[in-house]
Amino acid sequence: MGYSRELLANLYRTMVRIRFCEESLVKPILKGEIICPCHLYSGQEAVAAGICESLNEKDYVFGTHRSHGHFLAMGGAMRDLLAEIFTRETGCSRGRGGSMHLIDPGKGIMGAAPIVAGTISLAMGAALASNLRGEKRVAVSFFGDGAAGEGVLYECLNFAALKKLPLVFVCENNFYSTHMPIQECRVNGDIYKIAEPFSVKSSKVDGNDVLKVYEAGKEAIEFCRKGEGPVFLECKTYRFRGHVGPDDNIQGTHTDIRPREEVESWLKKDPITRFEKYLLENNLLSEKLLDGIKKEISDEVEESIEFAKNSPYPEAKELTRYVYK
Amino acid sequence: MSINRKLQYSLAINEALHQMMAVNDSVFLMGQGVKSPWYVGNTARGLLEKFGNGRVIDTPVSENSITGAGVGAAIAGMRPIIVHPRMDFMLYAMDPIINEAANWYYMNGGRVSVPVVIWGIINRGGEQAAQHSQALHSIFSHVPGLKVVMPSTPYDAKGLMIAAIEDDNPVVFIDDRWLYGIEDFVPEEIYIVEIGKGIIRKEGSDITLVSISFMAHQALEAANRLAEENIHVEVIDLRSAKPIDTEIIIDSLKKTGFLVVLDGGWKTCGFSSEVAAIVAEKGYQYLRGPIRRITLPDCPAPASSVLEKAYYPNSDNIVANIKSYLENFHR
Ligand SMILES: Cc1ncc(C[n+]2csc(CCOP(=O)(O)OP(=O)(O)O)c2C)c(N)n1
Ligand SMILES: [Mg+2]
């Protein structure tokens, strides 16, 4: 309790910004205006918003194939994101990367990449760099439950613990790794427990409760800043859309194997609606203020989509630019 | 009892898997997505239903250990097929493939061989960018102890999959999603296509075009278009990137004197370099002009489709390239 109105508004704004941005992609994807594979973040907003609230642009964030939310939560410009998704020269990766390669080093967004677990060790390297230089920068590695299948995660837990690195492992457990439900991937569904044998402080968080995520994230990040890292957080959450694209079914592949009742029960736990209700019921922020935020974000989305669509494509003659510096 | 019917490339692989699993209990399939139409498409159709989840094993995202398990099971007498729905993911498995599988037989003095099939799928285009587009066959071709096959037709897909399963050595079987829809005649019975044997897809006397996998189709298309202009291209589809069928290349060169090599992989130290080197060593006396290569540029795959278009060679590039080549050197 005792959260400032500013903080509450920030958390709300970040979540709405992510949701509106993600949902604005649905039509262009279905119309074929967006070609690159988009793994939408809708439903998981509380994780990115809650964690990134305690980070600043000096910190280091590394993401995955599903990182639109991380990019926005770190303060990445929506224009840069959307232009990248439309693979334009004005995008954050200049149209070379698409939806799965988001970067803005000035904002602490050090890159996202779709090789499962591929960026965990990179985040560890950033934490190591921070340590070597005697800085207080914290690195955050976002990854999914699927990444818990890869050995590199365990190697990182060990090394980060050994060197007390300022690294927060944030596992977004949405219970699925593409077509595989978590119980077909692991015997123990509580992923945070993998950190225990490495003596890494870890906990499980309701990933659809932005304040819970915020609290856990803040504590973990402060811990790391004090040199007491690493920390492992498992945020249980759910994606509202398909693994890739708006809906695995409407794209004609009929591969969303998630039971309908399960999807519906999670829709009821929508992190934004939930937070909104909490804010209003406790008279923390007014309806007017929330509406104002939504309006402001709608405008931002509209403007950013326009910007993206009207931006030039990279030029073919520049194909091999950026292979080497 | 061979009824030739048409089958899709992907279903030809599927038939090979069905038949080999039926005749040999030690054959099993393991990897990501074998129960999902997302990943291996219809190549795994009906396998789970027929053979059960004991022999058709979908796995967590654990390429290194799962591939290692395939290698270990092969050492223990099984004939595993380990599938990677995208070659890019296979990079986590380089250690079991190269350090272990490829070297095992040799470094243990020929005591135990490793009859594993590592099946990697090239899956690119659609703005998927650098980590979801790579064609890495040449990396594997570099390694002694591995064989690398890259079928371009449904007939070869079935025959080379069966040959790979029957081979006592580790075989890297590489297909390309862009081939999956192709339909052609495929015999119903079990047969093999010999590993290391290329095939002439079109005879011609003016110039030899060496290709493999998806590029074989681009080569053929280009050759057909050039034939209309009275340029007769001999199209070779090598089918195996390792071992390379040297004889078929040299024999063709004796006839044509000119060589263009096509590859859907990168240029440097690649399949095309190897073919060029073989010819420089063993066929230089038949060459009447320089060797030309048409490959991907030495550049990661871009996302933007504008750049993708410039990145992937197609029959237009090949036609233009061969014409300019012949104008310069064919006299
Ligand atoms: C090394 C590797 N193997 C396989 C894949 C294919 N793949 C893409 S996303 C994904 C599932 C990831 O699940 P999770 O980590 O839980 O993230 P989510 O999609 O649920 O956000 C897989 C297996 C990949 N991208 N990289
Ligand atoms: Mg997941």
Side-chain angles (χ1 to χ4, degrees):
Chain A
M1 287 301 125
Y3 298 112
S4 75
R5 282 166 54 86
E6 191 196 345
L7 170 72
L8 296 171
N10 275 350
L11 291 172
Y12 183 76
R13 182 181 296 108
T14 303
M15 289 201 290
V16 171
R17 208 164 156 251
I18 298 171
R19 175 68 56 86
F20 283 17
C21 180
E22 292 301 68
E23 295 303 308
S24 79
L25 299 175
V26 171
K27 257 199 208 133
I29 293 173
L30 294 176
K31 280 204 279 186
E33 292 172 334
I34 292 172
I35 301 166
C36 69
C38 284
H39 303 78
L40 300 177
Y41 197 72
S42 296
Q44 303 186 193
E45 292 89 348
V47 181
I51 299 287
C52 297
E53 186 62 31
S54 309
L55 295 172
N56 62 61
E57 73 285 347
K58 290 260 161 51
D59 291 322
Y60 297 117
V61 165
F62 287 81
T64 64
H65 55 289
R66 196 182 303 286
S67 274
H68 300 172
H70 309 136
F71 184 90
L72 292 173
M74 283 302 285
M78 201 183 287
R79 284 171 155 234
D80 299 0
L81 170 65
L82 289 177
E84 190 54 41
I85 295 170
F86 279 83
T87 59
R88 305 303 164 111
E89 184 67 30
T90 51
C92 63
S93 301
R94 303 191 172 109
R96 271 66 172 179
S99 156
M100 305 192 288
H101 297 284
L102 306 174
I103 192 161
D104 188 344
K107 295 254 158 56
I109 307 158
M110 305 313 289
I115 294 301
V116 167
T119 58
I120 302 174
S121 55
L122 309 187
M124 181 164 81
L128 179 66
S130 169
N131 251 17
L132 288 173
R133 293 189 299 240
E135 297 168 346
K136 296 271 173 237
R137 297 174 171 193
V138 173
V140 174
S141 169
F142 286 103
F143 53 90
D145 47 292
E150 300 284 12
V152 65
L153 171 57
Y154 303 81
E155 297 177 24
C156 288
L157 279 166
N158 183 55
F159 188 76
L162 196 64
K163 300 294 172 193
K164 285 190 166 301
L165 297 180
L167 173 62
V168 185
F169 296 87
V170 179
C171 177
E172 299 187 55
N173 181 358
N174 61 12
F175 303 93
Y176 288 87
S177 167
T178 62
H179 64 293
M180 294 279 271
I182 189 161
Q183 61 276 14
E184 289 184 35
C185 290
R186 51 193 313 111
V187 174
N188 186 332
D190 277 334
I191 296 174
Y192 74 98
K193 289 189 177 150
I194 65 172
E196 285 168 10
F198 296 96
S199 301
V200 172
K201 193 176 141 73
S202 72
S203 58
K204 164 164 74 169
V205 187
D206 177 349
N208 279 29
D209 182 336
V210 72
L211 286 173
K212 291 256 167 60
V213 178
Y214 169 73
E215 286 297 344
K218 184 163 167 272
E219 193 190 337
I221 291 160
E222 279 170 5
F223 236 73
C224 286
R225 269 197 226 292
K226 284 190 295 193
E228 291 172 32
V231 179
F232 188 103
L233 299 177
E234 176 190 1
C235 302
K236 308 247 189 201
T237 184
Y238 204 74
R239 60 172 157 75
F240 285 176
R241 295 273 180 191
H243 166 68
V244 56
D247 179 332
D248 294 325
N249 291 335
I250 52 179
Q251 289 179 103
T253 51
H254 298 282
T255 46
D256 195 337
I257 37 83
R258 303 182 306 173
R260 204 197 184 96
E261 317 78 65
E262 182 186 288
V263 177
E264 277 162 10
S265 80
W266 277 95
L267 286 172
K268 289 197 192 103
K269 292 187 261 188
D270 184 327
I272 299 179
T273 336
R274 231 168 118 181
F275 191 47
E276 204 169 79
K277 194 160 164 252
Y278 165 84
L279 293 172
L280 294 174
E281 278 176 3
N282 293 286
N283 287 321
L284 296 166
L285 296 177
S286 71
E287 195 153 6
K288 191 160 158 240
L289 189 124
L290 300 186
D291 286 345
I293 290 175
K294 285 193 228 167
K295 173 74 178 69
E296 168 204 321
I297 304 288
S298 293
D299 292 347
E300 187 190 9
V301 169
E302 202 174 312
E303 184 271 333
S304 304
I305 288 266
E306 275 311 295
F307 171 78
K309 284 189 183 175
N310 293 322
S311 288
Y313 286 102
E315 288 187 47
K317 68 175 175 4
E318 294 212 326
L319 171 65
T320 58
R321 200 172 164 190
Y322 309 123
V323 177
Y324 298 102
K325 187 167 178 179
Chain B
M1 231 253 328
S2 168
I3 306 164
N4 272 334
R5 66 245 117 122
K6 283 197 166 184
L7 215 53
Q8 258 183 15
Y9 184 98
S10 48
L11 290 175
I13 295 176
N14 179 250
E15 186 164 278
L17 298 174
H18 268 282
Q19 292 178 340
M20 293 309 285
M21 288 184 71
V23 299
N24 188 341
D25 283 346
S26 55
V27 177
F28 71 98
L29 175 68
M30 179 157 75
Q32 276 168 59
V34 296
K35 55 174 275 194
S36 158
W38 260 341
Y39 270 172
V40 277
N42 49 17
T43 51
R45 195 159 88 183
L47 291 170
L48 188 62
E49 294 77 358
K50 180 127 178 248
F51 300 102
N53 61 12
R55 288 176 71 197
V56 180
I57 307 171
D58 208 327
T59 72
V61 203
S62 311
E63 291 81 1
N64 179 297
S65 61
I66 296 302
T67 308
V71 173
I75 289 170
M78 301 295 282
R79 289 195 175 258
I81 302 149
I82 305 299
V83 60
H84 295 277
R86 213 184 263 286
M87 280 206 92
D88 316 68
F89 309 156
M90 217 163 130
L91 293 177
Y92 271 133
M94 289 309 253
D95 179 69
I97 299 172
I98 296 179
N99 269 328
E100 316 300 352
N103 290 331
W104 201 259
Y105 187 66
Y106 184 85
M107 69 190 181
N108 291 301
R111 297 296 297 275
V112 177
S113 71
V114 186
V116 66
V117 179
I118 315 280
W119 171 15
I121 304 173
I122 299 168
N123 188 348
R124 54 189 165 178
E127 299 198 336
Q128 297 181 94
Q131 297 182 335
H132 276 49
S133 303
Q134 297 168 106
L136 301 168
H137 43 285
S138 298
I139 293 181
F140 298 101
S141 298
H142 187 59
V143 180
L146 297 180
K147 298 182 180 180
V148 181
V149 301
M150 300 183 77
S152 74
T153 65
Y155 179 93
D156 287 351
K158 178 173 172 184
L160 279 169
M161 179 55 91
I162 293 172
I165 295 169
E166 289 186 347
D167 201 288
D168 286 332
N169 302 285
V171 178
V172 181
F173 178 102
I174 300 170
D175 52 6
D176 186 321
R177 271 277 172 148
W178 283 343
L179 294 166
Y180 273 25
I182 292 172
E183 269 198 4
D184 211 341
F185 293 105
V186 177
E188 280 185 356
E189 72 267 13
I190 291 180
Y191 62 91
I192 66 156
V193 167
E194 194 181 330
I195 296 176
K197 274 266 174 290
I199 189 169
I200 293 176
R201 295 285 180 208
K202 185 178 171 66
E203 294 201 7
S205 50
D206 291 335
I207 186 165
T208 298
L209 194 49
V210 171
S211 62
I212 197 160
S213 187
F214 179 72
M215 290 313 285
H217 294 273
Q218 302 299 307
L220 204 54
E221 203 178 300
N224 287 334
R225 282 165 61 184
L226 287 163
E228 288 167 16
E229 302 184 39
N230 223 16
I231 298 170
H232 302 290
V233 179
E234 179 141 300
V235 176
I236 296 175
D237 174 359
L238 278 183
R239 304 194 285 193
S240 294
K242 186 169 197 170
I244 282 179
D245 186 346
T246 303
E247 207 179 304
I248 199 170
I249 304 171
I250 305 290
D251 284 349
S252 177
L253 265 188
K254 286 180 188 164
K255 211 162 47 168
T256 66
F258 296 97
L259 176 67
V260 172
V261 191
L262 291 181
D263 185 23
W266 293 304
K267 192 165 206 167
T268 301
C269 292
F271 168 79
S272 71
S273 328
E274 189 55 34
V275 172
I278 287 173
V279 169
E281 278 177 351
K282 298 187 179 149
Y284 67 95
Q285 64 271 44
Y286 309 114
L287 280 175
R288 291 193 282 139
I291 298 167
R292 186 168 284 191
R293 295 187 279 157
I294 304 173
T295 67
L296 295 185
D298 281 331
C299 175
S304 189
S305 32
V306 175
L307 298 178
E308 276 189 330
K309 213 176 270 166
Y311 185 67
Y312 294 110
N314 56 33
S315 60
D316 288 344
N317 312 132
I318 301 166
V319 166
N321 215 309
I322 288 181
K323 277 204 216 164
S324 81
Y325 178 90
L326 290 176
E327 271 161 28
N328 282 320
F329 298 104
H330 204 232
R331 41 194 113 81

